Amino acid sequence: MQNNRLAIRIWDLPTRLFHWTFAFCVIGAFVSVKLGGLYMDWHVRFGCAALGLVIFRLAWGFIGPRYARFSQFVRGPSAVAAYLRGAAAPAGHNPLGALSVLALLLVVGLQAASGLFATDDIMTQGPLYGYVSESVAGALTSWHKLNEWIIIALVALHLLAIAWYALVRRKRIVGPMITGNADPRDLPAGTPPADDGPAVWLRALLLGACVWALVAWIRSLEVVAGMSFS
Ligand code: HEM
Ligand code: HEM
């Protein structure tokens, strides 16, 4: 049966806002840390925002609308193998793309979490730095610096995959992440739309407020340790 509706909502507004804010914060964290100096304050802000966004997305994966749910897109190795052998892609993330989504959330989450304990030994430290021994803080700071390359590799892979879908497979996937809507020709016939409206936005707002409070509380735990000037 031909799917002939005009456009089908796949990505709800909170998921799209999450995606673009997340990308902005990760890039912001990289740019500010490379600028260094006073921009380190911005590094901590971007990093903490990224932490909150990861927590938000993990929860949204359980309480968000259809295509945002992990149960909808996280599949086992056999589904990934079948997709690689040419099985049709479902609406939303495909089984292979789902792995990249999980990997991005995991590595950026670990980056932000380790940043909470990191120090540059000059004037910037994470809010939880004072709660661990110097050797633990040193190990987490080393991990924080090393993980930079894993994030760069995964983001590069993410962008290459998107370019490949756009240029080789001629599949429109960036548009839906902006507008929320996919062309029915890019979806299996009979694909149901995702919920997206005031009730969904209210749920996301409540979750966002809880996550914001959690991150603000973590930041408030900062004890002024030896070298801090803040
Ligand atoms: C640092 C930069 C970026 C990061 C960390 C990132 C991360 C992510 C994550 C976590 C998802 C899963 C979304 C969800 O289900 O909530 C995703 C999906 C997606 N991203 Fe990005 N992203 C970045 C940059 C970009 C850019 C620049 C583009 C566009 C050119 C883009 C296009 C997309 C698209 C189209 C999807 C949906 C893929 C699909 O249909 O399965 N991303 N990204
Ligand atoms: C998306 C999240 C984050 C990313 C991508 C990120 C990235 C980085 C990178 C690449 C470095 C190494 C810079 C270099 O040596 O050139 C760094 C250092 C640092 N980050 Fe983060 N970071 C994030 C989150 C955080 C958070 C949440 C905090 C604290 C609250 C933090 C605190 C620090 C500190 C104190 C350093 C200095 C380490 C040093 O120079 O010895 N980061 N970060």
Side-chain angles (χ1 to χ4, degrees):
M1 191 182 77
Q2 191 63 36
N3 205 340
N4 57 7
R5 277 175 293 177
L6 279 181
I8 296 176
R9 178 57 49 98
I10 297 295
W11 301 120
D12 56 277
L13 181 65
T15 300
R16 284 177 280 144
L17 282 178
F18 155 78
H19 176 265
W20 296 112
T21 323
F22 189 54
F24 181 74
C25 289
V26 171
I27 294 167
F30 268 98
V31 171
S32 51
V33 84
K34 298 302 169 191
L35 291 172
L38 294 178
Y39 288 97
M40 282 305 282
D41 282 354
W42 278 99
H43 179 68
V44 172
R45 285 185 197 122
F46 280 125
C48 287
L51 176 69
L53 286 163
V54 170
I55 298 171
F56 173 90
R57 185 61 183 95
L58 291 178
W60 200 237
F62 294 97
I63 64 167
R66 186 187 296 265
Y67 301 105
R69 292 204 178 208
F70 296 127
S71 59
Q72 177 75 21
F73 64 83
V74 178
R75 291 276 169 270
S78 54
V80 176
Y83 178 71
L84 285 172
R85 282 197 304 270
H93 298 305
N94 67 56
L96 189 62
L99 296 180
S100 117
V101 173
L102 294 182
L104 277 165
L105 291 175
L106 181 74
V107 292
V108 178
L110 288 176
Q111 183 72 354
S114 59
L116 297 176
F117 302 90
T119 174
D120 64 358
D121 290 326
I122 308 172
M123 61 179 218
T124 308
Q125 61 204 25
L128 303 184
Y129 167 74
Y131 291 87
V132 293
S133 67
E134 276 195 22
S135 62
V136 171
L140 289 170
T141 305
S142 303
W143 160 261
H144 192 75
K145 288 177 162 184
L146 211 68
N147 195 33
E148 165 180 11
W149 298 106
I150 304 180
I151 297 181
I152 290 174
L154 280 178
V155 170
L157 198 68
H158 181 57
L159 299 181
L160 282 174
I162 287 158
W164 183 78
Y165 275 105
L167 302 172
V168 181
R169 300 280 295 267
R170 301 264 164 219
K171 210 173 159 194
R172 292 152 286 218
I173 62 170
V174 178
M177 208 21 117
I178 297 171
T179 64
N181 297 331
D183 189 315
R185 286 170 297 173
D186 290 332
L187 299 169
T191 294
D195 282 346
D196 197 11
V200 170
W201 304 338
L202 183 65
R203 206 186 317 154
L205 264 179
L206 289 175
L207 175 60
C210 294
V211 171
W212 183 85
L214 175 67
V215 174
W217 174 70
I218 293 173
R219 293 197 68 179
S220 77
L221 294 175
E222 174 151 18
V223 282
V224 181
M227 80 209 43
S228 173
F229 298 108
S230 58

